[in-house]
Amino acid sequence: MTKRQMAYLACTVAVVASGLGAAPSADHVTVHWVHPGESIQKAVNSAQPGDAVIVSPGTYKESVRITVSGLTLRGSGTGSTVIVPGTASGDSTCAKAGNGICVTGTESKPVKDVTLRALTLRGFAKNGLWAAGTDRLTVRNVISEKNGQWGFAQERSVRGVFRHNIAQNNGDAGVFLSNTVDTEEGARDAKGAVVSHNLLAGNRIGVTVRRLRNLTIDHNDATGNCTAVFVVGDENKPAVGALSVRGNYIHANNKNCAKTARLPFLQGSGIVLTGAEDTLVTGNQVEDNVGKSPLSGGIVLFKSFVGAHNQRNEIRDNVVVRNGTADLANRDTGESNTFHGNTCAVSEPAGLC
């Protein structure tokens, strides 16, 4: 773990510790306490909207499915409360799918105002957190690491907040936000979803936003991934976009990831936009991302692999240095994409710096 990661974790622990001092009072909500050897799922099953499940320090071998709105699930700190895979029970759809925590509602009846805090999700075959059909899901001070696919993943959901988390060494994205994962359709309105102040390290991709609109990715620290931020669009309408990527520190994302059926190999990519429109990329520090992939470079605009172009994106006031094969790269033929006010040395084509 780098000094920066250690400092980030120490800051996270301090925030969590201060939050624990404000644990819900039994005068206002019902608190369900879980101790080592007890079942988190059993406590969740007993909870009513507005209740809190507080999990004592320990390692808990289970998956947890949340379907009740207004629930808070809080551990005792990321280094203290750890959830790892256990034996899938007969009715545990979350465990059978290979996920750690599942927060699931439906589009007609979303699960609302669920909060997850101060715990670690580790080593699940699929995802640390899987959320679908949620409104205002809040995830804070959670570590999701060494999971087979995604650290934190959400689809068919709105107003999600992912803040002050660590997503590291996951098989695909540390944070994955999508319209849907099993159907083809245009971008959905995320209604102001936020991915902010997270540490994203050692994943295939730090943050993936696929076919969504109206969200913010800001002030994250992304390092050691193959690609730090990937905004993915395609031929479906409306297009991905109307979002902002601002104030992030994106450095040395030089891990080499093999090609897939949909993408070439990835290495040395800072911020990549494919098939996006009306997106603002500003105030980011992007440095030392180096590779020879078609998507390598500091900030890269690339035609999507189904032919959709980037349109009307604004790349301004970023510091983009020591990236290869270029600091700024517009490898697309889309219209009205603008680059101005950036600090950089090498661009494709020349003249963007």
Side-chain angles (χ1 to χ4, degrees), residues 328-344:
L328 299 177
N330 186 0
R331 299 172 184 148
D332 193 3
T333 57
E335 298 178 352
S336 303
N337 299 298
T338 60
F339 296 77
H340 56 95
N342 301 290
T343 300
C344 64

Side-chain angles (χ1 to χ4, degrees), residues 163-183:
R163 183 171 281 137
H164 292 292
N165 304 293
I166 296 176
Q168 59 188 5
N169 302 323
N170 296 289
D172 193 65
V175 179
F176 177 85
L177 304 182
S178 177
N179 58 349
T180 68
V181 299
D182 58 2
T183 60

Side-chain angles (χ1 to χ4, degrees), residues 136-184:
R136 295 186 179 90
L137 172 66
T138 298
V139 184
R140 295 176 63 98
N141 309 119
V142 174
I143 294 177
S144 191
E145 62 183 7
K146 301 178 181 178
N147 301 294
Q149 188 170 14
W150 301 315
F152 305 99
Q154 180 174 267
E155 67 153 4
R156 304 175 189 264
S157 298
V158 296
R159 290 182 279 259
V161 176
F162 297 82
R163 183 171 281 137
H164 292 292
N165 304 293
I166 296 176
Q168 59 188 5
N169 302 323
N170 296 289
D172 193 65
V175 179
F176 177 85
L177 304 182
S178 177
N179 58 349
T180 68
V181 299
D182 58 2
T183 60
E184 289 290 329

